[in-house]
Amino acid sequence: MDSPTIPLISRRDALIAGAATATAAAVSSSAPAEAAAPKAAATPGPRAKLSLNVNGQVHSLELDTRTTLLDALREHLHLAGTKKGCDHGQCGACTVILDGRRINSCLTLAVMHDGAQVTTIEGLGTPQNMHPLQAAFVKHDGYQCGYCTPGQICSAVAVLDEIKRGVPSHVSADLTARPLLSAEELRERMSGNICRCGAYSNIVDAITEVAGSRT
């Protein structure tokens, strides 16, 4: 009588089959425990009342004290022009002008600026009545996807004000003299605003045109 044929299996196939069996057993045994474990409810943080003057309009807010200025603008005041890029202060897409100075709104808490005046891209101009820098960005193709453009323009507005006030930059040769309206100065001052599309040269051209008209 012939003996039954025993199928041959390689060591590799045996290891794969064993691993699959162990994984299936582990998943099945842990599923009931996971289903039984209650989900922890999100604990609300302390809240605070504050007032912000945004684009000339006063807003009274009550926010979680952990709310960034960026999220207050976007999620609570529905001003979506200010963009959330890296959320770590590295790209500049969230730049706004706060009490006359540019700031990365993702790096500061809203409750720190009670009573402050904030200017976002919506407060600079409209499609029908554009700010000179907005018009220059369009003229010189200073954007491609446009995601970083609101932060670029807000930063550029503040840059021209810095130069007008005589604030030096890292590349200013004479810290006591009025800064030059040079491409090197503008590139340095705008270096905190990243354009992933690479429209840097056109951005400098746009700012240079507006800066020249103001001298």
Side-chain angles (χ1 to χ4, degrees):
M1 182 176 181
D2 296 334
S3 59
T5 303
I6 300 175
L8 298 179
I9 182 171
S10 67
R11 181 173 180 273
R12 175 183 176 84
D13 291 338
L15 291 174
I16 293 174
T21 302
T23 301
V27 170
S28 61
S29 63
S30 62
E34 292 177 355
K39 293 184 178 180
T43 304
R47 302 179 70 82
K49 294 182 179 180
L50 69 149
S51 175
L52 291 174
N53 185 324
V54 183
N55 300 328
Q57 183 177 355
V58 177
H59 298 271
S60 296
L61 301 169
E62 184 176 349
L63 304 174
D64 186 308
T65 56
R66 298 166 295 184
T67 304
T68 64
L69 178 59
L70 172 60
D71 285 338
L73 294 171
R74 288 182 57 85
E75 307 299 332
H76 297 271
L77 298 182
H78 308 294
L79 295 171
T82 305
K83 302 304 182 186
K84 179 177 285 193
C86 65
D87 213 23
H88 287 78
Q90 297 175 347
C91 72
C94 68
T95 303
V96 298
I97 302 172
L98 187 143
D99 290 336
R101 299 180 64 181
R102 53 182 169 154
I103 186 173
N104 289 332
S105 58
C106 74
L107 290 184
T108 187
L109 299 175
V111 295
M112 297 170 61
H113 305 289
D114 184 24
Q117 294 191 10
V118 182
T119 302
T120 70
I121 190 65
E122 291 91 346
L124 291 179
T126 66
Q128 294 74 30
N129 184 26
M130 290 191 288
H131 186 280
L133 272 166
Q134 290 174 313
F137 267 65
V138 173
K139 176 182 177 181
H140 291 277
D141 292 327
Y143 58 90
Q144 289 185 37
C145 77
Y147 193 84
C148 73
T149 306
Q152 297 274 4
I153 293 176
C154 285
S155 191
V157 170
V159 161
L160 295 185
D161 183 62
E162 290 169 6
I163 293 176
K164 181 180 179 180
R165 291 187 286 113
V167 179
S169 77
H170 181 69
V171 299
S172 300
D174 186 349
L175 300 183
T176 62
R178 182 179 178 180
L180 300 174
L181 285 170
S182 64
E184 184 182 22
E185 276 281 359
L186 293 178
R187 290 193 186 100
E188 168 62 24
R189 292 173 187 269
M190 292 293 295
S191 61
N193 290 80
I194 296 174
C195 173
R196 291 175 173 85
C197 298
Y200 295 114
S201 59
N202 296 350
I203 291 171
V204 170
D205 290 343
I207 301 173
T208 299
E209 178 178 292
V210 176
S213 68
R214 295 186 178 183
T215 56

